Amino acid sequence: MRRRTTALAGALTLLTATGCGAADMTKQASPFANAQGSKTVTLSVQSWVGAQADVAVAQYLLEHKLGYRVDTVQVDEVPAWDALSQGRVDALLEDWGHPDQENRYVHDKRTIAPGGGLGVTGHIGWYVPTYLVKQHPDITDWRNLNKYASLFRTAESGGKGQLMDGSPSYVTNDRALVKNLQLDYRVVFAGSEAAQITQIKQFAKDKKPFLTYWYAPQWLFKKVPMTEVRLPPYKEGCDADAAKVACAYPHTPLQKYLNAGFVRHGGRAAAFLKKFRWTTEDQNEVSLMIAEQKLDPAEAARKWVDSHPAVWKRWLS
Amino acid sequence: MATLTVPTSRTGTPRVLRSRAAGKLLLLAVLAAVLAPWAATHWPGAAWPHELTVSLTKPLATAGDWVMDNRDSHPLFLYFFGYISNAVIWAVRAVYLTLLAAGWAGVTAFGALTAWRLGGARLAAGTAAAVLACGALGMWVPTMQTLALMVVAVLASVAVGTVLGLGAGLSDRLDRALRPVLDTMQVLPAFAYLLPVVLVFGIGVPAAVLATVVYAAPPMARLTSLGLRGADPEVLEAVESLGSTARQRLLTARVPLARKELLLGLNQTIMMALSMAVIAAVIGAGGLGDRVYQALASVDVGAALAAGIPIVLLAVVLDRVTGAAGAGTPATGRPRTIGRPYALAVTVAAAFAARLLGALDWPSGWTLAIAGPVNRAVDWMTSHLYSGVPVIGGTADWAGHFTTWVLDPVRDGLQWLPWWSVLLVVAALAWLIGTWRTALTAVLAMAAIGVLGVWEPSLDTLSQVLAAVAVTLVLGFATGIAAARSDRVERVLRPVLDVCQTMPQFVYLIPVVALFGVGRAPAVAAAVVYALPAVVRITAQGLRQVDEAALESARSLGATGRQQLWQVQLPLARRSLLLAVNQGVVLVLAVVIIGGLVGGGALGYDVAFGLAQGDLATGLVAGAAIVCLGLMLDRVTQPTERHARKGA
């Protein structure tokens, strides 16, 4: 039965496709969207828990208050821009700043529309655990890092100190920073945020010293208190040349982006996603429930929604 | 990934082999004596000389930009790729809607009745239980998405594979041309395919389906060709004498005679498509693979397992059902089954009943929450085993020691060797075990890595593969021997091996990080877990197929159990053991690459980086290097016997 349907659908597709001429690849929604006459919104989820919290709450409200069916797809930020422009996902709720993509899709092609700010300001930096700062108060200045390099040595860092970096999808200048600031460190890539968090927790359990690339807002700070290491201050444009960066990371107000067609025809869902705006504390509350208490994202979202009606009622109006 | 089965054959006389081997080595030594000093003076240093590299960064970046800018306007995309992409989306959507319309009751009834028809009542009950379990784990919709994707990908793979296989089965020239291509496609780690398809089709289902077809079509093509060539000549002659046309011969004699191979091909294709459907989550395929991938991101082993179990169940069910279809012929005593119209009627009735009762979707109350208990178990394990275990030390210490004492020396050793000597070693190994052709392919593949400018990270990956293969072989041979000698051990092992082999690799990654920390050690550990089952199976099978007469005569001479093993069974099972090594190497490479996600670094990290940042230059070059590495490793470990068998 299934085979025949597939064959039939395939034949029909070919017929309609040849009949209509060009098949525009840039306008193809996900095959799982809008199934069975239900209105579907497809949200892209990024790998970090903050982004999962955004999506969980948006999904919960879309499903329970607006009657949509929501599909989520895990895509990293840069590919998500591409998927967004093709309409395979409808919204990207947490972007950490990609000027190239913005130029291409928002300004030139106009296939993506800005969705306003998320209300959360992100910041990337180097962090050491606070218990280590208590032993060595001067460790939070980059000029003193070389003095402590031996503390951070691991099997992977080959005689130097280990600076642990996370997922390949994250914005990072760390290799250039280590080189340009002449630090006796080696950047070890954990390869995914999951691996990085697991490792940080294991280090913290034994009160071992570690130095890591990390970012705020992030729920892990509540479990493992960490202090930022001061890098040379950020100035506008000091990170323009990727090879010559020798300054800290900026503070970035996180942005939402929507597919342009979705903004026009997405009805209440699109209007809601544009209005979605919450605080760092709100986001952390949900993140912590998902990542630490291991609540199902939907369950965590329900708890938050039940206890903060004033916040989300504004988004639906 | 399913294992290959091997008929064992007697080995050739060792002495002849040894003298041939000596000759090959001598020739290589002469070659080395002439070329090495020249190479060493021209390009001093151990690393691949910079003058011999070609940088693809610029052209690849330009190509990527061109695609992005022209995807909505250039005819190539509008009139070719656009159609393909549209057709895939429509087909997947049609299947998905059909599945949803059938509802959980309809799908369960359809699955169970199909299983009943093909394999009897027990298989039907198992199938129904498995399908219902997917729902009970709260994975109904993702399971249906994965199924929809699978149905389309498998049908397309079977179509492509059959066409290629028919061609290769009927024409010797096409067969010769296709064989190396198919060989190569099967060796390549799936992870390396993803970037090129994403470049053209963008993130999402079309790219996932096409990557799956590329990965899953070769076994179908190979087994179709094998089946056509293996047809009994006497039958063919008889058919020919009846004055039939070539086409009639093909359709009435050769294809039906190849039924068994065709169904085995279908089985292999399904298994490979399923494993790829999971990996394709990295490029937004959705479904179960995506759930596993999302769980990985929030360090949630329980959730990963809840999505991983349906994948295992699907794999087991599909394997058994296609296996039953291949094993039984209508004539021989098959269990009584039901008729086709009857089965269809029951399916439709079940679907309608569910629809009328308003329970088309899986009832949300009927779910089992396994994530909590699983996570508590994992937490307990990691908090008690990670460090501070008296006497033997925690798993973190082991991982550290393994990195310092095994991985580092192997990597440093490989990187210390002058590049031309690495090529020589590769040539020697490949030539000793294969033919001059395999040696040439291996050397060219290794040289290509150098030319691409990723010599050092490739050797890093290679060192991880070697270490993991060594561990896998030690454990795998030991377990395989135990399984071959005791039926009880084999019975206990079988379900464990099934699960290890079909569980998506992503599921392993979090527990291994929790146990071994971040770095190359957890990547190696995950690879060992994944590759072990194949090695155990092939070893056990090889040992069990050793000629009973040879064993009997050894016993009559008073050989002890140990002597029988070392002096009779192992030498006679040499071919199987070599194949086990080969499969171990290929599987380990596939996972070590994914180990880039837990700190394995090197090529795997570069591919992940390319996918995540849309950086074609880094990703594609690393992907190509992985392909070359896979090719080289396969050729270096490929027993010559495989060639002889394929020609059958």
Side-chain angles (χ1 to χ4, degrees):
Chain A
M1 188 173 72
R2 267 185 268 160
R3 271 184 206 209
R4 203 170 301 159
T5 323
T6 321
L8 209 67
L12 272 178
T13 315
L14 277 180
L15 277 179
T16 38
T18 35
C20 301
D24 192 347
M25 286 176 73
T26 58
K27 293 183 184 65
Q28 289 175 335
S30 153
F32 306 130
N34 299 317
Q36 291 183 313
S38 62
K39 298 171 291 177
T40 316
V41 178
T42 310
L43 299 176
S44 77
V45 194
Q46 283 70 55
S47 60
W48 57 91
V49 187
Q52 291 186 339
D54 305 332
V55 170
V57 170
Q59 176 173 12
Y60 186 85
L61 289 171
L62 281 167
E63 282 177 347
H64 292 88
K65 307 290 173 193
L66 294 176
Y68 282 85
R69 188 180 189 132
V70 177
D71 268 337
T72 58
V73 184
Q74 177 150 322
V75 195
D76 291 316
E77 279 167 291
V78 178
W81 278 87
D82 190 31
L84 204 55
S85 89
Q86 284 180 289
R88 293 204 177 134
V89 298
D90 294 319
L92 165 64
L93 294 181
E94 186 172 316
D95 184 77
W96 284 64
H98 292 90
D100 292 353
Q101 312 288 335
E102 201 179 327
N103 274 334
R104 172 179 279 153
Y105 294 113
V106 177
H107 302 304
D108 296 350
K109 290 178 178 275
R110 297 178 189 280
T111 49
I112 294 180
L118 178 69
V120 178
T121 297
H123 176 60
I124 297 168
W126 291 2
Y127 290 86
V128 288
T130 308
Y131 53 74
L132 187 67
V133 179
K134 289 196 182 112
Q135 295 164 25
H136 310 285
D138 61 340
I139 206 167
T140 58
D141 192 312
W142 68 271
R143 291 183 204 87
N144 300 327
L145 278 179
N146 275 348
K147 194 166 78 183
Y148 293 109
S150 60
L151 274 183
F152 300 114
R153 197 181 297 151
T154 67
E156 285 294 330
S157 64
K160 299 179 170 184
Q162 169 173 295
L163 167 60
M164 184 162 57
D165 259 44
S167 154
S169 64
Y170 295 170
V171 176
T172 173
N173 304 325
D174 285 2
R175 271 191 183 146
L177 277 171
V178 164
K179 187 162 158 265
N180 296 337
L181 298 176
Q182 288 160 6
L183 297 176
D184 186 24
Y185 282 77
R186 177 167 177 160
V187 185
V188 172
F189 288 89
S192 60
E193 180 172 297
Q196 198 181 7
I197 290 178
T198 310
Q199 178 73 80
I200 289 179
K201 280 193 189 160
Q202 297 285 33
F203 277 143
K205 210 180 71 198
D206 300 345
K207 295 266 182 277
K208 278 195 184 151
F210 65 87
L211 173 68
T212 183
Y213 167 103
W214 205 232
Y215 63 94
Q218 231 290 348
W219 59 275
L220 189 67
F221 286 112
K222 293 227 168 80
K223 300 298 293 181
V224 182
M226 287 184 266
T227 310
E228 187 172 358
V229 174
R230 271 190 307 279
L231 291 169
Y234 175 80
K235 281 191 219 72
E236 189 70 38
C238 72
D239 53 1
D241 184 347
K244 290 188 185 143
V245 184
C247 61
Y249 294 88
H251 289 263
T252 320
L254 307 182
Q255 299 296 314
K256 294 172 293 177
Y257 289 95
L258 309 177
N259 174 278
F262 175 68
V263 169
R264 281 194 296 277
H265 310 295
R268 294 188 70 191
F272 158 75
L273 287 174
K274 280 186 107 171
K275 280 192 194 144
F276 186 106
R277 187 180 175 89
W278 60 351
T279 61
T280 305
E281 289 73 41
D282 288 328
Q283 194 196 45
N284 267 342
E285 203 180 321
V286 182
S287 304
L288 201 66
M289 281 193 272
I290 296 175
E292 193 46 43
Q293 298 168 25
K294 302 284 184 213
L295 278 190
D296 190 45
E299 183 70 8
R302 190 181 61 77
K303 279 194 167 175
W304 184 87
V305 165
D306 286 348
S307 56
H308 297 76
V311 183
W312 57 262
K313 286 228 163 95
R314 282 199 309 258
W315 306 339
L316 295 179
S317 61
Chain B
M1 211 170 287
T3 53
L4 290 168
T5 49
V6 258
T8 39
S9 61
R10 253 24 99 62
T11 47
T13 42
R15 193 178 297 158
V16 173
L17 206 85
R18 223 169 282 149
S19 66
R20 277 241 303 280
K24 288 174 180 178
L25 281 183
L26 198 69
L27 199 65
L28 269 180
V30 172
L31 204 70
V34 178
L35 288 180
W38 177 74
T41 46
H42 266 256
W43 299 290
W48 185 270
H50 189 70
E51 299 83 55
L52 295 185
T53 61
V54 177
S55 171
L56 295 178
T57 312
K58 201 102 179 255
L60 281 177
T62 324
D65 281 342
W66 183 85
V67 171
M68 293 283 179
D69 288 334
N70 289 284
R71 199 147 62 187
D72 50 357
S73 55
H74 196 274
L76 178 67
F77 293 96
L78 289 180
Y79 296 99
F80 182 65
F81 290 128
Y83 284 150
I84 296 181
S85 173
N86 260 338
V88 169
I89 287 186
W90 273 84
V92 172
R93 188 173 171 77
V95 179
Y96 180 58
L97 291 183
T98 312
L99 288 172
L100 285 185
W104 63 269
V107 173
T108 311
F110 180 77
L113 293 170
T114 312
W116 194 1
R117 193 170 158 66
L118 294 171
R122 252 185 83 189
L123 190 59
T127 306
V131 176
L132 293 177
C134 298
L137 287 165
M139 288 291 153
W140 187 255
V141 172
T143 308
M144 291 307 109
Q145 294 183 342
T146 296
L147 260 184
L149 203 136
M150 285 274 300
V151 168
V152 174
V154 167
L155 287 180
S157 308
V158 167
V160 172
T162 313
V163 168
L164 289 179
L166 279 177
L170 299 178
S171 142
D172 283 334
R173 191 185 296 171
L174 200 60
D175 185 46
R176 267 198 305 278
L178 267 182
R179 205 185 295 159
V181 178
L182 295 180
D183 269 0
T184 313
M185 278 163 84
Q186 274 195 299
V187 174
L188 311 183
F191 206 45
Y193 289 170
L194 299 179
L195 206 54
V197 280
V198 167
L199 169 65
V200 175
F201 292 95
I203 288 281
V205 171
V209 167
L210 288 166
T212 309
V213 172
V214 175
Y215 188 62
M220 190 71 213
R222 171 168 294 158
L223 282 156
T224 307
S225 147
L226 189 69
L228 289 183
R229 286 175 180 272
D232 191 344
E234 282 175 28
V235 177
L236 290 183
E237 217 163 282
V239 176
E240 202 162 349
S241 68
L242 292 173
S244 54
T245 64
R247 193 161 145 212
Q248 279 171 334
R249 273 205 301 283
L250 178 68
L251 292 179
T252 59
R254 296 188 80 171
V255 170
L257 280 175
R259 180 169 176 272
K260 207 165 176 181
E261 279 82 4
L262 291 179
L263 281 166
L264 183 62
L266 177 68
N267 172 293
Q268 296 269 310
T269 299
I270 289 177
M271 291 301 127
M272 296 190 71
L274 191 58
S275 76
M276 186 65 179
V278 175
I279 295 174
V282 178
I283 55 170
L288 290 169
D290 186 65
R291 295 306 172 93
V292 177
Y293 192 47
Q294 285 191 26
L296 175 75
S298 51
V299 208
D300 192 341
V301 186
L305 209 60
I309 290 172
I311 295 171
V312 173
L313 291 175
L314 278 184
V316 172
V317 164
L318 290 170
D319 183 51
R320 298 285 189 275
V321 171
T322 49
T329 49
T332 57
R334 214 162 52 137
R336 275 166 58 91
T337 59
I338 55 169
R340 206 171 297 174
Y342 195 58
L344 198 67
V346 174
T347 305
V348 174
F352 269 108
R355 173 162 287 228
L356 287 178
L357 292 172
L360 214 47
D361 287 341
W362 186 263
S364 55
W366 298 5
T367 51
L368 280 171
I370 65 156
V374 171
N375 281 328
R376 274 196 294 283
V378 172
D379 281 348
W380 182 89
M381 238 171 58
T382 51
S383 59
H384 288 82
L385 301 179
Y386 181 71
S387 62
V389 180
V391 189
I392 53 170
T395 46
D397 304 332
W398 296 0
H401 294 325
F402 188 73
T403 308
T404 325
W405 293 342
V406 179
L407 285 172
D408 281 349
V410 175
R411 180 183 65 185
D412 296 345
L414 281 175
Q415 289 177 346
W416 167 85
L417 282 178
W419 58 275
W420 44 267
S421 68
V422 174
L423 292 187
L424 267 178
V425 171
V426 166
L429 285 174
W431 203 5
L432 282 182
I433 204 160
T435 61
W436 66 268
R437 264 184 227 208
T438 50
L440 188 66
T441 318
V443 171
L444 285 180
M446 202 62 209
I449 289 174
V451 172
L452 286 171
V454 282
W455 186 253
E456 301 236 320
S458 300
L459 289 184
D460 188 353
T461 297
L462 182 59
S463 73
Q464 297 173 40
V465 171
L466 293 180
V469 166
V471 177
T472 309
L473 291 183
V474 169
L475 293 177
F477 283 160
T479 322
I481 290 170
R485 293 172 77 95
S486 149
D487 286 331
R488 193 181 300 160
V489 173
E490 197 181 26
R491 258 202 310 281
V492 174
L493 270 180
R494 196 180 298 155
V496 179
L497 297 184
D498 270 349
V499 170
C500 284
Q501 244 177 339
T502 45
M503 188 63 87
Q505 298 98 314
F506 288 141
V507 177
Y508 303 140
L509 294 182
I510 291 307
V512 292
V513 173
L515 283 175
F516 301 112
V518 152
R520 286 165 288 157
V524 166
V528 170
V529 176
Y530 187 67
L532 203 51
V535 174
V536 170
R537 283 216 166 108
I538 298 174
T539 310
Q541 202 176 6
L543 288 179
R544 277 177 180 265
Q545 280 170 352
V546 164
D547 198 348
E548 201 47 45
L551 267 184
E552 199 50 55
S553 61
R555 254 180 241 130
S556 69
L557 290 172
T560 61
R562 173 181 295 234
Q563 281 169 336
Q564 285 171 35
L565 178 69
W566 285 102
Q567 289 167 12
V568 183
Q569 282 183 306
L570 287 181
L572 284 183
R574 180 171 163 270
R575 296 286 177 197
S576 294
L577 298 185
L578 277 177
L579 184 67
V581 174
N582 177 269
Q583 288 288 298
V585 164
V586 170
L587 294 177
V588 159
L589 179 66
V591 184
V592 160
I593 300 297
I594 296 181
L597 298 175
V598 292
L603 295 177
Y605 177 83
D606 287 346
V607 172
F609 178 86
L611 279 167
Q613 297 280 1
D615 182 341
L616 277 180
T618 310
L620 275 184
V621 167
I626 291 170
V627 166
C628 293
L629 208 56
L631 208 56
M632 185 278 283
L633 283 168
D634 178 65
R635 294 304 185 265
V636 165
T637 55
Q638 191 177 53
T640 28
E641 192 237 2
R642 254 174 74 180
H643 277 287
R645 197 164 60 90
K646 266 173 219 149

